[in-house]
Amino acid sequence: MDPGPTDLGVVDPQQQQQRQRRPPSRYESQKRRDWNTFLQYLRSHRPPLSLARCSGAHVIEFLKYLDQQAWGSLDALVGRLRAAYEENDGLPESNPFGARAVGIYLREVKESQGRARGVPYQKKKTKKKKRKLLQDTAVGASIADDAAGASIGSSEAGEGSRAPPAGSSPAS
């Protein structure tokens, strides 16, 4: 019996050609454009910079050079460039887009834009916290309902005056 190409770790040339013909995703296209823009910036920098000599300070200078105002777009741009750097044989440890100074700069931009809007950015709450809050609220409400029902049933109404549970017939 002939093992399939995945069993041997061999890639079928036809499948490989099909993958190469597929257009890149929107993210991949944007990442490539961003990377080319950054490389152009390095070439036009005075004095010209090599990628190996690029630091977090140069990344911040590049972000200011682009003059993008929205923090979210800057954050996404840095994320794409960080990935592109590593895809282009850059070492993660020396990635200037992951430099602490870049993170601090992004945080400052975010805070200043929040102050300018009059509404600070807030972290989105995780679903776990929301779910737990809903459960706690539901449990608290049902306990309160039970307590209210019990007090009404015992103090104001006489024995047998409560409605029978849904789906059951009243006792005759």
Side-chain angles (χ1 to χ4, degrees):
M1 184 164 152
D2 184 30
T6 54
D7 295 338
L8 295 174
V10 177
V11 178
D12 181 18
Q14 193 174 21
Q15 286 177 341
Q16 195 172 18
Q17 285 176 350
Q18 286 174 347
R19 275 192 224 129
Q20 289 173 352
R21 277 189 252 145
R22 265 190 223 141
S25 69
R26 185 173 159 219
Y27 170 80
E28 292 295 329
S29 298
Q30 185 65 51
K31 184 169 58 173
R32 187 178 315 115
R33 281 193 300 271
D34 293 340
W35 183 247
N36 290 336
T37 303
F38 181 70
L39 293 178
Q40 179 61 42
Y41 165 77
L42 292 179
R43 286 190 295 272
S44 64
H45 190 272
R46 294 291 165 240
L49 277 171
S50 69
L51 187 58
R53 296 187 50 86
C54 184
S55 69
H58 295 112
V59 172
I60 293 170
E61 192 177 293
F62 171 68
L63 295 175
K64 289 178 180 177
Y65 160 82
L66 289 179
D67 195 33
Q68 290 193 13
Q69 301 301 321
W71 167 80
S73 64
L74 284 177
D75 190 46
L77 171 67
V78 169
R80 288 189 302 268
L81 289 171
R82 190 173 185 172
Y85 179 86
E86 293 176 15
E87 286 176 9
N88 287 281
D89 302 327
L91 296 173
E93 306 84 49
S94 63
N95 191 332
F97 301 99
R100 185 166 186 234
V102 174
I104 291 169
Y105 173 75
L106 288 173
R107 194 174 318 116
E108 288 172 356
V109 168
K110 179 168 104 172
E111 289 169 359
S112 70
Q113 288 181 357
R115 284 191 300 271
R117 290 185 328 156
V119 179
Y121 283 99
Q122 293 181 354
K123 279 189 171 181
K124 292 182 180 177
K125 297 185 183 195
T126 61
K127 289 184 179 181
K128 276 185 178 179
K129 288 181 182 177
K130 285 182 183 176
R131 212 176 292 141
K132 181 162 176 38
L133 180 65
L134 289 173
Q135 286 175 345
D136 290 348
T137 306
V139 168
S142 68
I143 290 171
D145 289 345
D146 289 347
S151 65
I152 290 172
S154 62
S155 63
E156 294 177 9
E159 186 84 27
S161 64
R162 289 171 64 172
S168 65
S169 60
S172 302

